[in-house]
Amino acid sequence: MIAHGKVIKYGDNVDTDVIIPARYLNTSDPAELAKHCMEDLDKEFLNKVKKGDIMVAAKNFGCGSSREHAPIAIKASGISCVIAETFARIFYRNAINIGLPILECPEASKDIEDGDEVEVDFDKGVIVNITKDKVYKSTPFPKFMQEIIAKNGLIEYIKAMKSGE
Amino acid sequence: MGMTMTQKILAAHAGLDKVVPGQLIQAKLDLVLGNDVTTPVAVKEFEKIGIDRVFDVNKVAIVPDHFTPNKDIKSAEQCKYIREFAKEKGIVNYFEIGQMGIEHVLIPEKGLVVPGDVVIGADSHTCTYGALGAFSTGVGSTDMAAGMATGEAWFKVPEAIKFELKGKLSKWASGKDVILHIIGMIGVDGALYKSMEFVGDGVKALPIDDRFTITNMAIEAGAKNGIFEADEQTLAYVKEHSEKAYKCYQADADAEYTHTYVIDLNDIRPTVAFPHLPENTRTIDAVGEVNIDQSVIGSCTNGRISDLRIAANILKDKKVAPHVRTIVFPGSQKVYLQAMEEGLLKIFVEAGAVVSTPTCGPCLGGHMGILAKGERAIATTNRNFVGRMGHPESEVYLASPAVAAASALAGKIVSPEEVE
């Protein structure tokens, strides 16, 4: 699987309250949630984001509330992948469970700038910064998580396990 | 190499003699929890799996507490959806308005968690139950769905940090100040992916309610779980609230910790976390002049009876500053009733505070105490992120019930020592 897009970049500790404020959690409709994605951190996000774009952030991305609405909103906004130095653990699980590709890569997180054009090869765990002509290697997921990602999330994975695939 | 408390509990629930950090395991669950924000998403995912029953009707708990009593039509629809699901699946531990509480105050009170349990909850503050010596962690809705279906969850066995507590808290210091101090010291990702294990002689002198407050905010340091070694106090609590079988775990003498911190409880001062991260802490002595518009006392962090007693003790026969909206929200119906019987509610009302039904409402900017642009609140809640309690340009300062009550009287953030 390959992701290719322009980078929208944020800093440390982007919490799930700013990814999707609680005042919008009275719905779980992805399209509704996407309308308010990143609203309290970056009012321009919705004007900027194009389908396929890549979000890059620094430390502890997705900290705070366990709301799965956060990765759902990011995915529904058109973002194809999130790269960060580290992810908060519940966000990390949620992203894998709903099939939002994420990568931990401190080097890419530091080096990539807002607006850079980036391509990600998930199978190889390789991030290519086309703008800067640089290549970064991310930590590969354990095999078990790769299987969940390959099934496009935990629910499909469990269904496959149940039917003995 | 020996195992930590957390590792031992996980090994036992995975049917293994030993686990090591980094190992991926499949563990059996003693309880799967959700609320009115996360359960609707979980139910949708559960339906996709295509099975018609939950793994155990006694081991799923659903607590509509966030936007309840329903704050608007959409919230009412979400609650209706999960109420019908609970009814259809025969879920025993569904707690409706009138019997409910804020989930993390309610669940231990109902005796649904005991030492040695493995609990997942689709709410980040599920880590609260580590106070009782259980492994307990927050997950998302899909994990909740999978847990309800299979009775199992996957975990990466965590490394751990040891916090050795010694001494005794001084008069106005509390569990809240201990955990704010720790988060200030190690940062909001200081325990990322790890367990925070609390041990030592200082634990004995720490009441259970303070322990709940400490483990409640383990997530605010990025931790997977926080856990206290069970002792006589734990067992007394368990006896009073539960009939479930339990097992107490202690870490091996040669268990490995990535770091050990020794914390002398005598040195802990009332502590305040400034906007917009829980790690931005200062002791009360270094707060300076911070005027407030609202004081919020309650939540899953500090909505227990001892919290309300401390606040009432400060507010008794006094009046809150005229411009400070003071909102007290007990953590459960039981706490509410107890506060009523002890005369605490009367003290709050006479001091000029309002007393709300148990709800998560104000803590996450849902309802019952939203801040306008430029407003400031002192709160006994757990997060002070941008926009957490309302307008993105409002501010939340986190503190103990004692500091929040004293500040309500003074109209600015002050130490309880100043209003004694």
Side-chain angles (χ1 to χ4, degrees), chain A residues 13 15 17 22 25-26 28 59-60 64-66 68-69 87 89 93-94 97 104 144 155 158-159 162, chain B residues 37 44-45 48 51 67 72 78 123-124 137-143 146 154 188 193 364 383 385 388:
Chain A
N13 304 314
D15 62 77
D17 272 276
L25 297 185
N26 54 6
S28 57
K59 278 195 309 181
N60 203 24
S65 156
S66 67
E68 208 160 288
H69 311 66
F87 289 91
R89 60 162 285 278
R93 286 184 82 100
N94 287 348
N97 285 345
E104 277 193 347
F144 164 72
I155 297 301
I158 288 175
K159 276 168 77 176
K162 265 181 48 189
Chain B
V37 165
K44 274 201 235 167
E45 295 302 311
K48 285 184 200 162
I51 53 169
F67 295 159
D72 53 25
Q78 300 236 77
D123 186 283
S124 59
T137 191
V139 295
S141 298
T142 300
D143 274 318
W154 66 266
V188 291
Y193 309 133
L364 80 162
R383 290 191 176 127
F385 299 150
R388 175 71 180 181

Side-chain angles (χ1 to χ4, degrees), chain B residues 137-388:
Chain B
T137 191
V139 295
S141 298
T142 300
D143 274 318
M144 181 193 177
M148 287 196 295
T150 64
E152 293 185 356
W154 66 266
F155 296 107
K156 192 156 125 183
V157 176
E159 296 181 304
I161 302 176
K162 178 152 83 174
F163 295 88
E164 213 171 301
L165 310 183
K166 61 174 194 179
K168 201 169 179 280
L169 288 169
S170 60
K171 186 177 175 191
W172 293 115
S174 68
K176 183 61 163 283
D177 304 299
V178 175
I179 191 64
L180 287 176
H181 168 77
I182 288 173
I183 297 166
M185 183 171 68
I186 68 173
V188 291
D189 63 349
L192 195 62
Y193 309 133
K194 294 178 185 171
S195 304
M196 295 168 80
E197 301 209 337
F198 299 92
V199 297
D201 287 344
V203 171
K204 283 196 193 81
L206 212 50
I208 284 282
D209 283 1
D210 290 78
R211 299 184 200 179
F212 279 126
T213 304
I214 290 172
T215 47
N216 173 271
M217 288 188 72
I219 179 71
E220 262 52 75
K224 182 170 208 145
N225 69 310
I227 187 168
F228 274 86
E229 203 171 82
D231 63 3
E232 292 88 7
Q233 273 199 70
T234 321
L235 298 184
Y237 184 96
V238 170
K239 246 187 202 143
E240 190 187 334
H241 295 89
S242 188
E243 288 173 355
K244 276 176 62 171
Y246 61 86
K247 189 166 179 194
C248 301
Y249 290 87
Q250 284 181 320
D252 289 324
D254 60 344
E256 202 165 276
Y257 294 91
T258 59
H259 212 103
T260 297
Y261 294 94
V262 178
I263 292 173
D264 190 341
L265 297 177
N266 297 292
D267 296 341
I268 299 290
R269 290 285 295 150
T271 301
V272 178
F274 277 49
H276 288 285
L277 282 176
E279 70 182 22
N280 294 337
T281 56
R282 298 185 197 177
T283 67
I284 194 74
D285 316 294
V287 161
E289 196 78 3
V290 181
N291 294 319
I292 53 164
D293 304 289
Q294 182 162 295
S295 175
V296 174
I297 301 167
S299 83
C300 63
T301 313
N302 281 120
R304 296 180 183 82
I305 192 67
S306 57
D307 299 313
L308 300 192
R309 282 180 192 141
I310 289 165
N313 184 28
I314 290 170
L315 295 172
K316 192 171 169 41
D317 300 328
K318 296 195 172 107
K319 294 274 180 208
V320 302
H323 63 279
V324 177
R325 288 117 44 192
T326 305
I327 303 165
V328 180
F329 58 121
S332 69
Q333 289 292 92
K334 187 180 173 186
V335 173
Y336 194 106
L337 198 58
Q338 207 172 345
M340 190 167 79
E341 284 165 354
E342 292 182 15
L344 310 185
L345 303 190
K346 187 162 183 278
I347 292 171
F348 295 135
V349 173
E350 284 179 351
V354 294
V355 182
S356 151
T357 179
T359 177
C360 307
C363 171
L364 80 162
H367 63 154
M368 301 292 285
I370 306 295
L371 298 174
K373 182 175 174 175
E375 286 190 331
R376 229 181 237 161
I378 183 121
T380 67
T381 56
N382 41 55
R383 290 191 176 127
N384 55 354
F385 299 150
V386 170
R388 175 71 180 181

